[in-house]
Amino acid sequence: MNPAWQLLRLASPQLPIGGYSYSQGLELAVDTGLVHDPASAERWIRDQLLLNLARFEAPLLLAHCEAAAREDWHALDALAEQHRASRETRESRLESRQMGYSLQQLLNDLPEQDDAARALLAEQEEPGLALAWALAARAWSIAPQDALAAWLWGWLENQLAVLMKTLPLGQQAAQRLTSALLPCLEQAQHAAREIPPARWGSAAFGLALASMAHERQYSRLFRS
């Protein structure tokens, strides 16, 4: 079987985990005028990729995928706990929990998932997205680096979808932004591979404040 099929499956917006429901602070940034045109949107997404995701979220996700691939359940359980503890706001925790739960339910109904992975998920009080994503990659024989690439691509695609609903941003403009931001995806993936665990971390205070303010936003389309 062509391995690209499973990779496309994991990266697809049709994966039924509700990723389209979340803006990760971008809706608030649009509402307050921080993001108001393609240039400011590019700056917001680029900074998120390089100053936040590349420094913490991406290397942590990659570590999940590597632990799952080698079936190191103890390490994977510890990484999942680290991921839960790192959720800075109520919104971000609920997002990870809901998407992780949805992906867990999907995997448990699929023949590719084995008993060891099901048992690990069953033991989790609150399975997050990173854990479930890593187990999906393992079940579908997707290499850790490719699973990280799929996650980064899905994140970017979702951010652009948010912009098309809130700015609004047309499809052609979204494609131009994609061309401008693809090198940032590559840079984030490379950084996630190279940064040692002792240096994992970011200080995305603006993102945390946007997430908290979004909970009180008067009118909104997205859950975060």
Side-chain angles (χ1 to χ4, degrees), residues 66 101 104 124 141 167 178 187:
E66 290 173 339
Y101 174 80
Q104 175 190 15
Q124 301 295 312
S141 301
L167 272 181
T178 300
Q187 189 175 345

Side-chain angles (χ1 to χ4, degrees), residues 8 10 47 100 113 117 125 140 144 158 175 199 204 212 214 219:
L8 291 169
L10 184 62
D47 287 352
Q113 185 81 309
E125 180 180 352
W140 296 336
N158 184 66
Q175 286 299 314
R199 293 181 58 195
M212 288 187 287
H214 186 261
S219 177

Side-chain angles (χ1 to χ4, degrees), residues 6-196:
Q6 299 287 34
L7 181 60
L8 291 169
R9 180 185 189 181
L10 184 62
S12 172
Q14 297 303 313
L15 193 69
I17 59 175
Y20 60 86
S21 302
Y22 301 97
S23 77
Q24 298 192 354
L26 182 52
E27 184 177 26
L28 188 281
V30 172
D31 186 67
T32 58
L34 286 172
V35 173
H36 55 273
D37 59 12
S40 57
E42 180 181 346
R43 182 167 58 251
W44 174 274
I45 294 174
R46 183 182 64 247
D47 287 352
Q48 286 278 55
L49 275 169
L50 301 182
L51 302 180
N52 181 28
L53 301 188
R55 295 179 178 182
F56 183 71
E57 299 285 348
L60 182 58
L61 180 82
L62 179 60
H64 277 76
C65 295
E66 290 173 339
R70 64 176 183 268
E71 300 184 2
D72 189 341
W73 308 123
H74 178 74
L76 190 55
D77 184 64
L79 288 164
E81 179 60 32
Q82 184 178 359
H83 186 267
R84 280 191 294 272
S86 69
R87 303 305 89 187
E88 294 181 306
T89 68
R90 178 177 178 270
E91 276 199 344
S92 63
R93 180 168 183 170
L94 289 175
E95 176 183 348
S96 177
R97 184 174 71 182
Q98 184 274 317
M99 294 176 70
Y101 174 80
S102 297
L103 188 48
Q104 175 190 15
Q105 296 303 108
L106 170 66
L107 291 173
N108 284 340
D109 285 340
L110 295 178
E112 298 96 327
Q113 185 81 309
D114 60 23
D115 291 340
R118 285 194 177 90
L120 178 66
L121 280 172
E123 292 171 359
Q124 301 295 312
E125 180 180 352
E126 195 175 292
L129 177 61
L131 173 62
W133 192 273
L135 292 175
R138 173 180 175 271
W140 296 336
S141 301
I142 298 171
Q145 281 289 335
D146 291 337
L148 173 61
W151 180 78
L152 287 168
W153 172 258
W155 181 89
L156 175 60
E157 193 172 54
N158 184 66
Q159 292 283 282
L160 294 174
V162 171
L163 291 171
M164 286 190 284
K165 294 175 183 176
T166 56
L167 272 181
L169 187 79
Q171 291 182 337
Q172 290 189 1
Q175 286 299 314
R176 287 193 293 271
L177 274 179
T178 300
S179 294
L181 291 164
L182 280 177
C184 296
L185 282 187
E186 187 75 17
Q187 189 175 345
Q189 183 183 23
H190 177 77
R193 183 171 62 246
E194 298 299 324
I195 189 170

